[in-house]
Amino acid sequence: MKRRIHLWLCVTGVIALLLTAALTLGIYFQSFQNQVFYDLKTDGIILAESYQLVEKPDDLDRFKSSGFRITLISADGRVLYDSSANEDTMDNHSTRPEFTAAIEDGEGTAVRHSDTIHRDVYYYAKLLENGEVLRVARESSSIFAVFFSALPFLLLLAAGILLLCFFLAGVLTKRIVAPIDAMAADMDAIEENTEYEELIPFSRTIHRQNGLIRRQLEDLRQEQEKIQALTSNMSEGFLLLDMEKRILSVNGSAVELMGESGGEYVGQNLLYFSRNQELLICVEQALENENASVEITLGGRRLQIIASLVESEGKKIGLICLILDITEKSELEQMRREFTANVSHELKTPLTSISGFAELIESGMAKPADVRKFASKIHTESARLLTLIGDIIMLSELDEAPKRELEAVDLCPLVQKCTERLQAAAERAEISLSFDGESVPVLADPAQMEDLVMNLCDNAIRYNRKGGSVAVTLKRVQDRAVLTVKDTGIGIPPEHQSRIFERFYRVDKSRSKETGGTGLGLAIVKHIAEQHHAKLTLHSVVDEGTEIKVSFPLCEK
Ligand code: ADP
């Protein structure tokens, strides 16, 4: 805009300069011509007066040196006298405009340009009383000659004026544009800063739109902050990409789950964030097919990546990637699958024996003496089956059922009752079972607590030796109630210790089955302990014995 104004001001200046020069020259030349004619006419009249007194053409020689040419022409156009040429050789002048004008009106003027001398010749003719015409003529420079003679000076003047024009146009442009610059510099006060009345409607509109844009920007910023707050608190990884795979937003969980280090990823290409092939392929697939999902294992974790295209008004505008940590879920699924397989297998074994013995009896192939023995086997196997089913039901209840309300229970009488109930079994196995405890109130489900104590004590008896012992203690240690079941049994080899709480995991399968074990006892114990926020610790030495401690938070009354 500045350049335009400057240019136009300069152009206007130049045009004004040229016009002024042309007009001035025209006016000057006109007045110059008038002056020449005036002088010529005055001289002509005086000359005519003095000639008429004598009427002798030769007398006109007196005026030869006065700087102009004198010609006397007869009424028919013949030249009677000429001060500068031989009148006998001259043409008839009857057609000359100044002559004809003088014959008609008494006087006439004319200007003719002489190409020979490059000058204009001014003529004045006057009709004398005797019918002759006296003509005086003077040479003068033509307008072009005048112009060309003054040209160097004119050019110098024009250059000076042009420079001045250029400078003044610059100053003027700055002064014109300065208020507009001031308006642009402070959009908030644009209305107050508007100096030009004509710009007030514009500044009002700009001010209004400025406010609107500001409000919209503020809304956008708030929205962005909301999304930022939402995504940064998400445990799922969140990644927003544009169609060129440039990152628009990425949260901390995505960085952490993909095992990347923190950094400024926004605005960068996806490759800058991660070079994981599966992620890159998933994104490519989503760009082609709208949606894609892939499961990957990264850093010991199982991750699910879900990518989907984002569309707005039918136009693809970007891509959202969610990265979910499904380690626990897939482990649980794996466990369930294994559990189902194990359950089927565990159920099949006793049922096969029951079915086999029953078949023998039914077909009459069993000797009468063995029938009783087979019936007893069927009884034992079905009892095992019932125990197994009981344990499975309990585990699935613990898995599925919502947590039951816990109540304040004093563990001491509960544990004592359990040990008393197991006393007979301990005696049968020739093991001494003792209990030493103090009153410890805990928040617990009494039925589940009984299962926990019974399972631990039952194991301590079953995996013991004849003459061995089982010591059950219940103590208050700081703010916790600690139940300890310690036996002098066979112990658990170190490599099995981390796995005995898994479902159906047994160190010695045959011993477990012989003693009526289901392989689920400690899994139930672990589950119940978790639901009671209790800590389980195991200490076992092969051939010396095992000690299992369960520590519950005390119930504050
Ligand atoms: P089970 O019904 O087979 O006893 P558990 O889940 O109760 O199943 O125990 C899992 C395994 O841990 C047992 O098979 C056994 O090998 C081992 N175990 C449990 N308690 C003891 C213990 N007190 N002493 C030695 N081994 C034990």
Side-chain angles (χ1 to χ4, degrees), residues 343-365:
V343 164
S344 320
H345 179 74
E346 293 287 334
L347 290 176
K348 208 175 160 193
T349 320
L351 272 174
T352 314
S353 339
I354 292 170
S355 162
F357 290 128
E359 205 181 338
L360 280 174
I361 297 169
E362 189 189 28
S363 63
M365 280 166 74

PDB file of all heavy atoms in Angstrom, residues 343-365:
ATOM      1  N   VAL A 343      -9.527 -78.463  34.914  1.00  0.00           N
ATOM      2  CA  VAL A 343     -10.757 -78.938  35.581  1.00  0.00           C
ATOM      3  C   VAL A 343     -11.268 -80.189  34.864  1.00  0.00           C
ATOM      4  O   VAL A 343     -11.581 -81.210  35.495  1.00  0.00           O
ATOM      5  CB  VAL A 343     -11.828 -77.822  35.607  1.00  0.00           C
ATOM      6  CG1 VAL A 343     -13.201 -78.383  35.929  1.00  0.00           C
ATOM      7  CG2 VAL A 343     -11.462 -76.754  36.621  1.00  0.00           C
ATOM      8  N   SER A 344     -11.316 -80.112  33.539  1.00  0.00           N
ATOM      9  CA  SER A 344     -11.829 -81.258  32.781  1.00  0.00           C
ATOM     10  C   SER A 344     -10.988 -82.506  33.070  1.00  0.00           C
ATOM     11  O   SER A 344     -11.519 -83.596  33.304  1.00  0.00           O
ATOM     12  CB  SER A 344     -11.764 -80.974  31.281  1.00  0.00           C
ATOM     13  OG  SER A 344     -12.127 -79.677  31.028  1.00  0.00           O
ATOM     14  N   HIS A 345      -9.670 -82.251  33.072  1.00  0.00           N
ATOM     15  CA  HIS A 345      -8.776 -83.380  33.322  1.00  0.00           C
ATOM     16  C   HIS A 345      -8.954 -83.938  34.739  1.00  0.00           C
ATOM     17  O   HIS A 345      -9.081 -85.153  34.940  1.00  0.00           O
ATOM     18  CB  HIS A 345      -7.331 -82.918  33.108  1.00  0.00           C
ATOM     19  CG  HIS A 345      -6.339 -83.982  33.359  1.00  0.00           C
ATOM     20  ND1 HIS A 345      -6.136 -85.032  32.483  1.00  0.00           N
ATOM     21  CD2 HIS A 345      -5.499 -84.198  34.416  1.00  0.00           C
ATOM     22  CE1 HIS A 345      -5.212 -85.825  32.975  1.00  0.00           C
ATOM     23  NE2 HIS A 345      -4.809 -85.347  34.151  1.00  0.00           N
ATOM     24  N   GLU A 346      -9.028 -83.063  35.729  1.00  0.00           N
ATOM     25  CA  GLU A 346      -9.143 -83.488  37.136  1.00  0.00           C
ATOM     26  C   GLU A 346     -10.471 -84.218  37.384  1.00  0.00           C
ATOM     27  O   GLU A 346     -10.530 -85.147  38.172  1.00  0.00           O
ATOM     28  CB  GLU A 346      -9.071 -82.268  38.076  1.00  0.00           C
ATOM     29  CG  GLU A 346      -7.730 -81.576  38.090  1.00  0.00           C
ATOM     30  CD  GLU A 346      -6.637 -82.347  38.822  1.00  0.00           C
ATOM     31  OE1 GLU A 346      -6.968 -83.132  39.719  1.00  0.00           O
ATOM     32  OE2 GLU A 346      -5.449 -82.173  38.462  1.00  0.00           O
ATOM     33  N   LEU A 347     -11.519 -83.767  36.693  1.00  0.00           N
ATOM     34  CA  LEU A 347     -12.827 -84.404  36.885  1.00  0.00           C
ATOM     35  C   LEU A 347     -12.871 -85.770  36.202  1.00  0.00           C
ATOM     36  O   LEU A 347     -13.496 -86.715  36.677  1.00  0.00           O
ATOM     37  CB  LEU A 347     -13.948 -83.532  36.311  1.00  0.00           C
ATOM     38  CG  LEU A 347     -14.268 -82.234  37.056  1.00  0.00           C
ATOM     39  CD1 LEU A 347     -15.325 -81.437  36.298  1.00  0.00           C
ATOM     40  CD2 LEU A 347     -14.794 -82.539  38.471  1.00  0.00           C
ATOM     41  N   LYS A 348     -12.162 -85.841  35.094  1.00  0.00           N
ATOM     42  CA  LYS A 348     -12.217 -87.051  34.284  1.00  0.00           C
ATOM     43  C   LYS A 348     -11.600 -88.252  35.030  1.00  0.00           C
ATOM     44  O   LYS A 348     -12.144 -89.363  34.996  1.00  0.00           O
ATOM     45  CB  LYS A 348     -11.456 -86.803  32.978  1.00  0.00           C
ATOM     46  CG  LYS A 348     -11.958 -87.624  31.830  1.00  0.00           C
ATOM     47  CD  LYS A 348     -11.240 -87.231  30.581  1.00  0.00           C
ATOM     48  CE  LYS A 348     -11.376 -88.366  29.581  1.00  0.00           C
ATOM     49  NZ  LYS A 348     -10.474 -88.197  28.484  1.00  0.00           N
ATOM     50  N   THR A 349     -10.499 -88.005  35.751  1.00  0.00           N
ATOM     51  CA  THR A 349      -9.769 -89.111  36.395  1.00  0.00           C
ATOM     52  C   THR A 349     -10.635 -89.874  37.412  1.00  0.00           C
ATOM     53  O   THR A 349     -10.846 -91.083  37.261  1.00  0.00           O
ATOM     54  CB  THR A 349      -8.464 -88.585  37.033  1.00  0.00           C
ATOM     55  OG1 THR A 349      -7.902 -87.638  36.147  1.00  0.00           O
ATOM     56  CG2 THR A 349      -7.483 -89.677  37.338  1.00  0.00           C
ATOM     57  N   PRO A 350     -11.207 -89.206  38.425  1.00  0.00           N
ATOM     58  CA  PRO A 350     -12.034 -89.975  39.371  1.00  0.00           C
ATOM     59  C   PRO A 350     -13.282 -90.557  38.727  1.00  0.00           C
ATOM     60  O   PRO A 350     -13.675 -91.678  39.008  1.00  0.00           O
ATOM     61  CB  PRO A 350     -12.412 -88.955  40.447  1.00  0.00           C
ATOM     62  CG  PRO A 350     -12.120 -87.625  39.882  1.00  0.00           C
ATOM     63  CD  PRO A 350     -11.077 -87.809  38.829  1.00  0.00           C
ATOM     64  N   LEU A 351     -13.856 -89.812  37.767  1.00  0.00           N
ATOM     65  CA  LEU A 351     -15.067 -90.326  37.117  1.00  0.00           C
ATOM     66  C   LEU A 351     -14.784 -91.587  36.317  1.00  0.00           C
ATOM     67  O   LEU A 351     -15.584 -92.530  36.303  1.00  0.00           O
ATOM     68  CB  LEU A 351     -15.658 -89.266  36.185  1.00  0.00           C
ATOM     69  CG  LEU A 351     -16.636 -88.304  36.860  1.00  0.00           C
ATOM     70  CD1 LEU A 351     -17.058 -87.214  35.893  1.00  0.00           C
ATOM     71  CD2 LEU A 351     -17.868 -89.052  37.384  1.00  0.00           C
ATOM     72  N   THR A 352     -13.589 -91.636  35.686  1.00  0.00           N
ATOM     73  CA  THR A 352     -13.205 -92.833  34.933  1.00  0.00           C
ATOM     74  C   THR A 352     -13.105 -94.037  35.882  1.00  0.00           C
ATOM     75  O   THR A 352     -13.620 -95.127  35.584  1.00  0.00           O
ATOM     76  CB  THR A 352     -11.856 -92.610  34.219  1.00  0.00           C
ATOM     77  OG1 THR A 352     -11.904 -91.337  33.583  1.00  0.00           O
ATOM     78  CG2 THR A 352     -11.571 -93.668  33.190  1.00  0.00           C
ATOM     79  N   SER A 353     -12.454 -93.823  37.063  1.00  0.00           N
ATOM     80  CA  SER A 353     -12.345 -94.943  38.016  1.00  0.00           C
ATOM     81  C   SER A 353     -13.723 -95.376  38.505  1.00  0.00           C
ATOM     82  O   SER A 353     -14.056 -96.565  38.530  1.00  0.00           O
ATOM     83  CB  SER A 353     -11.508 -94.599  39.250  1.00  0.00           C
ATOM     84  OG  SER A 353     -10.688 -93.562  39.025  1.00  0.00           O
ATOM     85  N   ILE A 354     -14.574 -94.361  38.866  1.00  0.00           N
ATOM     86  CA  ILE A 354     -15.925 -94.687  39.364  1.00  0.00           C
ATOM     87  C   ILE A 354     -16.660 -95.500  38.314  1.00  0.00           C
ATOM     88  O   ILE A 354     -17.223 -96.565  38.587  1.00  0.00           O
ATOM     89  CB  ILE A 354     -16.709 -93.401  39.706  1.00  0.00           C
ATOM     90  CG1 ILE A 354     -16.080 -92.712  40.913  1.00  0.00           C
ATOM     91  CG2 ILE A 354     -18.178 -93.687  39.970  1.00  0.00           C
ATOM     92  CD1 ILE A 354     -16.605 -91.319  41.211  1.00  0.00           C
ATOM     93  N   SER A 355     -16.611 -95.006  37.086  1.00  0.00           N
ATOM     94  CA  SER A 355     -17.311 -95.674  36.008  1.00  0.00           C
ATOM     95  C   SER A 355     -16.782 -97.101  35.800  1.00  0.00           C
ATOM     96  O   SER A 355     -17.550 -98.052  35.617  1.00  0.00           O
ATOM     97  CB  SER A 355     -17.166 -94.818  34.755  1.00  0.00           C
ATOM     98  OG  SER A 355     -17.445 -95.538  33.629  1.00  0.00           O
ATOM     99  N   GLY A 356     -15.443 -97.239  35.867  1.00  0.00           N
ATOM    100  CA  GLY A 356     -14.806 -98.555  35.681  1.00  0.00           C
ATOM    101  C   GLY A 356     -15.247 -99.549  36.747  1.00  0.00           C
ATOM    102  O   GLY A 356     -15.688-100.673  36.419  1.00  0.00           O
ATOM    103  N   PHE A 357     -15.182 -99.117  38.032  1.00  0.00           N
ATOM    104  CA  PHE A 357     -15.576-100.022  39.131  1.00  0.00           C
ATOM    105  C   PHE A 357     -17.053-100.365  39.043  1.00  0.00           C
ATOM    106  O   PHE A 357     -17.461-101.521  39.185  1.00  0.00           O
ATOM    107  CB  PHE A 357     -15.272 -99.383  40.497  1.00  0.00           C
ATOM    108  CG  PHE A 357     -13.782 -99.297  40.783  1.00  0.00           C
ATOM    109  CD1 PHE A 357     -13.188 -98.099  41.164  1.00  0.00           C
ATOM    110  CD2 PHE A 357     -12.971-100.445  40.668  1.00  0.00           C
ATOM    111  CE1 PHE A 357     -11.834 -98.032  41.418  1.00  0.00           C
ATOM    112  CE2 PHE A 357     -11.604-100.364  40.933  1.00  0.00           C
ATOM    113  CZ  PHE A 357     -11.031 -99.173  41.303  1.00  0.00           C
ATOM    114  N   ALA A 358     -17.873 -99.391  38.742  1.00  0.00           N
ATOM    115  CA  ALA A 358     -19.313 -99.622  38.648  1.00  0.00           C
ATOM    116  C   ALA A 358     -19.619-100.612  37.526  1.00  0.00           C
ATOM    117  O   ALA A 358     -20.483-101.497  37.666  1.00  0.00           O
ATOM    118  CB  ALA A 358     -20.033 -98.297  38.400  1.00  0.00           C
ATOM    119  N   GLU A 359     -18.897-100.489  36.437  1.00  0.00           N
ATOM    120  CA  GLU A 359     -19.079-101.391  35.292  1.00  0.00           C
ATOM    121  C   GLU A 359     -18.741-102.833  35.670  1.00  0.00           C
ATOM    122  O   GLU A 359     -19.465-103.771  35.317  1.00  0.00           O
ATOM    123  CB  GLU A 359     -18.192-100.915  34.137  1.00  0.00           C
ATOM    124  CG  GLU A 359     -18.707-101.342  32.793  1.00  0.00           C
ATOM    125  CD  GLU A 359     -17.802-100.873  31.675  1.00  0.00           C
ATOM    126  OE1 GLU A 359     -17.032 -99.899  31.854  1.00  0.00           O
ATOM    127  OE2 GLU A 359     -17.855-101.503  30.610  1.00  0.00           O
ATOM    128  N   LEU A 360     -17.633-102.957  36.434  1.00  0.00           N
ATOM    129  CA  LEU A 360     -17.206-104.294  36.880  1.00  0.00           C
ATOM    130  C   LEU A 360     -18.301-104.949  37.718  1.00  0.00           C
ATOM    131  O   LEU A 360     -18.659-106.120  37.542  1.00  0.00           O
ATOM    132  CB  LEU A 360     -15.917-104.207  37.696  1.00  0.00           C
ATOM    133  CG  LEU A 360     -14.606-104.072  36.884  1.00  0.00           C
ATOM    134  CD1 LEU A 360     -13.429-103.852  37.816  1.00  0.00           C
ATOM    135  CD2 LEU A 360     -14.382-105.311  36.035  1.00  0.00           C
ATOM    136  N   ILE A 361     -18.839-104.154  38.633  1.00  0.00           N
ATOM    137  CA  ILE A 361     -19.885-104.681  39.521  1.00  0.00           C
ATOM    138  C   ILE A 361     -21.127-105.027  38.692  1.00  0.00           C
ATOM    139  O   ILE A 361     -21.729-106.093  38.813  1.00  0.00           O
ATOM    140  CB  ILE A 361     -20.237-103.677  40.643  1.00  0.00           C
ATOM    141  CG1 ILE A 361     -19.003-103.455  41.519  1.00  0.00           C
ATOM    142  CG2 ILE A 361     -21.409-104.151  41.493  1.00  0.00           C
ATOM    143  CD1 ILE A 361     -19.108-102.303  42.498  1.00  0.00           C
ATOM    144  N   GLU A 362     -21.497-104.102  37.807  1.00  0.00           N
ATOM    145  CA  GLU A 362     -22.705-104.278  37.005  1.00  0.00           C
ATOM    146  C   GLU A 362     -22.637-105.535  36.118  1.00  0.00           C
ATOM    147  O   GLU A 362     -23.594-106.311  36.028  1.00  0.00           O
ATOM    148  CB  GLU A 362     -22.888-103.040  36.105  1.00  0.00           C
ATOM    149  CG  GLU A 362     -24.201-102.997  35.389  1.00  0.00           C
ATOM    150  CD  GLU A 362     -24.217-101.870  34.365  1.00  0.00           C
ATOM    151  OE1 GLU A 362     -23.132-101.497  33.847  1.00  0.00           O
ATOM    152  OE2 GLU A 362     -25.306-101.372  34.088  1.00  0.00           O
ATOM    153  N   SER A 363     -21.462-105.762  35.522  1.00  0.00           N
ATOM    154  CA  SER A 363     -21.330-106.908  34.604  1.00  0.00           C
ATOM    155  C   SER A 363     -21.173-108.238  35.338  1.00  0.00           C
ATOM    156  O   SER A 363     -21.129-109.296  34.738  1.00  0.00           O
ATOM    157  CB  SER A 363     -20.135-106.681  33.680  1.00  0.00           C
ATOM    158  OG  SER A 363     -18.951-106.621  34.460  1.00  0.00           O
ATOM    159  N   GLY A 364     -21.039-108.154  36.674  1.00  0.00           N
ATOM    160  CA  GLY A 364     -20.904-109.381  37.474  1.00  0.00           C
ATOM    161  C   GLY A 364     -19.512-109.960  37.387  1.00  0.00           C
ATOM    162  O   GLY A 364     -19.248-111.080  37.821  1.00  0.00           O
ATOM    163  N   MET A 365     -18.610-109.199  36.798  1.00  0.00           N
ATOM    164  CA  MET A 365     -17.247-109.701  36.673  1.00  0.00           C
ATOM    165  C   MET A 365     -16.496-109.614  37.989  1.00  0.00           C
ATOM    166  O   MET A 365     -15.499-110.308  38.198  1.00  0.00           O
ATOM    167  CB  MET A 365     -16.494-108.911  35.597  1.00  0.00           C
ATOM    168  CG  MET A 365     -16.820-109.390  34.184  1.00  0.00           C
ATOM    169  SD  MET A 365     -16.255-108.226  32.967  1.00  0.00           S
ATOM    170  CE  MET A 365     -14.514-108.556  33.053  1.00  0.00           C
TER     171      MET A 365
END
